Amino acid sequence: STGGSTSPVAGSPATTALDDGAHVITWVPPYHVAEAKQQLAASFAGTGMADGLSYLALQFWITDGPGTRLDKVTEADITWFHDWARAHGVKIILCVHNNTGGDWNWPEAVRAFKDNREAFAQHLVSQVMTRDFDGVDLDLEGIIEATADDQQSYQALVETLSNALHPLGKALTVDSGHG
């Protein structure tokens, strides 16, 4: 991640009400939905998770060429987290990743950000707007030696998303991985 901040990306600053300093983000992976719901609902001597969170990233979407598919969650799960975030003043973001079957699938990420960049970006923006989310978190990783072409293509996706999301007041965060 960008260290929990929503630093400007590609020269286009994000402008949201929360951009006044450091931010705290947490992710909900598809394999710990029940546990995440319990922790978000818990109270720790009168202090809840919402008291310290800026962003809640739902790591529920897997790259699928020009689009995404849900990973082991239901629409009811998404609605629960959306409603919790809205009720507690926490921003909610769509986290898209390329971990298929327990491994980072770099060719699948490349298929999305390089081979289908425009359609992929449009799909993500559409999902954010349709679901009333506050932005996108890109979690595209791989244990690889990224080529210069991969790097340029990934940067082009980040710029495309930034240019589409920021004018809408939406955030874009990028997770940094091994490659």
Side-chain angles (χ1 to χ4, degrees), residues 6-68:
T6 54
S7 301
V9 176
S12 179
T15 53
T16 66
L18 289 178
D19 282 338
D20 58 357
H23 302 285
V24 177
I25 186 171
T26 192
W27 289 260
V28 178
Y31 48 86
H32 282 302
V33 169
E35 295 90 338
K37 288 179 181 179
Q38 288 175 340
Q39 288 300 309
L40 290 173
S43 176
F44 306 93
T47 301
M49 294 291 286
D51 294 314
L53 284 179
S54 308
Y55 289 92
L56 180 65
L58 303 183
Q59 193 179 39
F60 295 169
W61 287 266
I62 296 177
T63 58
D64 193 8
T68 59

Side-chain angles (χ1 to χ4, degrees), residues 74-87:
T74 67
E75 288 294 331
D77 292 324
I78 296 166
T79 298
W80 189 95
F81 288 106
H82 173 274
D83 293 350
W84 180 90
R86 290 292 179 247

Side-chain angles (χ1 to χ4, degrees), residues 62-65 67 69 97-98 100 105-113:
I62 296 177
T63 58
D64 193 8
R69 59 185 162 79
H97 65 93
N98 61 306
T100 58
N105 185 338
W106 189 246
E108 181 54 40
V110 169
R111 190 167 75 98
F113 74 75

Side-chain angles (χ1 to χ4, degrees):
S1 162
T2 57
S5 73
T6 54
S7 301
V9 176
S12 179
T15 53
T16 66
L18 289 178
D19 282 338
D20 58 357
H23 302 285
V24 177
I25 186 171
T26 192
W27 289 260
V28 178
Y31 48 86
H32 282 302
V33 169
E35 295 90 338
K37 288 179 181 179
Q38 288 175 340
Q39 288 300 309
L40 290 173
S43 176
F44 306 93
T47 301
M49 294 291 286
D51 294 314
L53 284 179
S54 308
Y55 289 92
L56 180 65
L58 303 183
Q59 193 179 39
F60 295 169
W61 287 266
I62 296 177
T63 58
D64 193 8
T68 59
R69 59 185 162 79
L70 288 176
D71 184 14
K72 305 174 197 159
V73 296
T74 67
E75 288 294 331
D77 292 324
I78 296 166
T79 298
W80 189 95
F81 288 106
H82 173 274
D83 293 350
W84 180 90
R86 290 292 179 247
H88 292 89
V90 174
K91 300 236 179 211
I92 187 164
I93 56 179
L94 181 156
C95 177
V96 59
H97 65 93
N98 61 306
N99 191 307
T100 58
D103 292 315
W104 293 104
N105 185 338
W106 189 246
E108 181 54 40
V110 169
R111 190 167 75 98
F113 74 75
K114 181 178 176 184
D115 301 339
N116 294 285
R117 178 177 46 253
E118 292 296 327
F120 184 59
Q122 288 175 1
H123 171 78
L124 293 174
V125 172
S126 174
Q127 286 290 298
V128 164
M129 299 309 291
T130 300
R131 294 179 180 280
D132 182 35
F133 280 13
D134 298 297
V136 171
D137 176 56
L138 292 176
D139 187 8
L140 306 179
E141 302 181 38
I143 302 174
I144 49 94
E145 291 293 326
T147 66
D149 190 42
D150 285 349
Q151 293 171 3
Q152 290 170 350
S153 295
Y154 189 79
Q155 180 176 344
L157 171 67
V158 170
E159 290 172 355
T160 299
L161 274 173
S162 177
N163 290 335
L165 291 168
H166 289 167
L168 299 171
K170 306 297 182 183
L172 174 62
T173 60
V174 177
D175 302 343
S176 60
H178 321 48

